[in-house]
Amino acid sequence: AQTVTQSQPEMSVQEAETVTLSCTYDTSESDYYLFWYKQPPSRQMILVIRQEAYKQQNATENRFSVNFQKAAKSFSLKISDSQLGDAAMYFCAYSGGGADGLTFGKGTHLIIQP
Amino acid sequence: EAGVAQSPRYKIIEKRQSVAFWCNPISGHATLYWYQQILGQGPKLLIQFQNNGVVDDSQLPKDRFSAERLKGVDSTLKIQPAKLEDSAVYLCASSFTPPAVLAGERGELFFGEGSRLTVL
């Protein structure tokens, strides 16, 4: 079974600075997808960024980018120019095999200091 | 475009009682998921539907949990009888399954706001 590990329960960063959230995963599959989801206090999860394992190029979405290291099974999220609205729980998630269902990590609580 | 709708938002029940949650996915989304999110943990997939058929229910405690998606649109998740450890937020999500999924693409999941269950 696939597992997703987020080793940072909580991270704090000053507004406008850069922060990196860590994620590692374990899988025996060669083709899979990785995601970062954001969950603000209202609890509605929203997709931040997605990476296909077969793509070597790291995904980027505006201030959000990933560092995907397939051999190391590592998938970190970098948030540049942090904003107060970035404060939330961030979940790393894996999808592979024949089903679309996601396997989530335990999450990282990101605090933005004004 | 309307998002994923869930109700009720909050529910408090005594252990051994029953409860039902309802979910209406985004129009046109063929795939529907129910996740359980216990406080301090990431969401755990309970069941996945493709139209009105079950794709994956391997983590659904079938002795007490049941789910259905009649007509392939909205869905209900039922717990009977509830236990203390069922206290959690129950998240519904849906995804559009384009033809590309047959080639291995994975569509984005859209989540509802969740239903918070407290079992006393």
Side-chain angles (χ1 to χ4, degrees), chain A:
Chain A
Q2 293 80 17
T3 58
V4 177
T5 302
Q6 293 180 251
S7 59
Q8 305 156 316
E10 186 173 280
M11 292 284 285
S12 182
V13 64
Q14 292 285 337
E15 192 176 3
E17 293 188 345
T18 296
V19 63
T20 298
L21 309 184
S22 302
C23 173
T24 59
Y25 58 94
D26 187 27
T27 183
S28 58
E29 297 174 315
S30 59
D31 187 22
Y32 50 87
Y33 297 77
L34 297 164
F35 307 80
W36 279 98
Y37 275 84
K38 172 185 178 181
Q39 188 177 42
S42 67
R43 299 201 305 275
Q44 189 165 26
M45 303 259 279
I46 55 174
L47 178 66
V48 175
I49 199 165
R50 174 175 62 187
Q51 175 80 41
E52 291 86 348
Y54 64 86
K55 291 185 177 179
Q56 293 186 339
Q57 186 173 7
N58 289 326
T60 303
E61 289 287 342
N62 301 312
R63 298 183 295 107
F64 299 87
S65 62
V66 299
N67 183 6
F68 174 48
Q69 302 288 329
K70 191 171 184 179
K73 296 180 181 175
S74 170
F75 182 62
S76 62
L77 173 70
K78 185 172 81 172
I79 305 174
S80 303
D81 185 26
S82 298
Q83 300 175 2
L84 294 177
D86 295 333
M89 285 293 293
Y90 285 81
F91 291 95
C92 179
Y94 170 102
S95 175
D100 288 338
L102 299 176
T103 299
F104 286 88
K106 289 190 174 183
T108 296
H109 181 209
L110 179 63
I111 298 168
I112 310 296
Q113 304 279 6

Side-chain angles (χ1 to χ4, degrees), chain B residues 25-93:
Chain B
I26 292 173
S27 177
H29 281 194
T31 311
L32 184 147
Y33 314 78
W34 282 102
Y35 284 86
Q36 180 193 57
Q37 186 175 19
I38 293 173
L39 185 65
Q41 298 183 18
K44 182 184 81 170
L45 179 66
L46 292 176
I47 189 167
Q48 176 186 343
F49 291 95
Q50 181 73 19
N51 295 309
N52 61 352
V54 176
V55 174
D56 182 3
D57 64 355
S58 58
Q59 298 190 87
L60 186 73
K62 298 180 185 62
D63 57 334
R64 298 182 300 104
F65 285 66
S66 65
E68 60 182 12
R69 193 185 183 196
L70 301 176
K71 301 180 181 178
V73 181
D74 55 351
S75 175
T76 56
L77 174 71
K78 296 179 181 178
I79 307 173
Q80 181 180 14
K83 292 185 175 182
L84 296 178
E85 58 260 36
D86 298 332
S87 294
V89 175
Y90 291 86
L91 298 170
C92 180

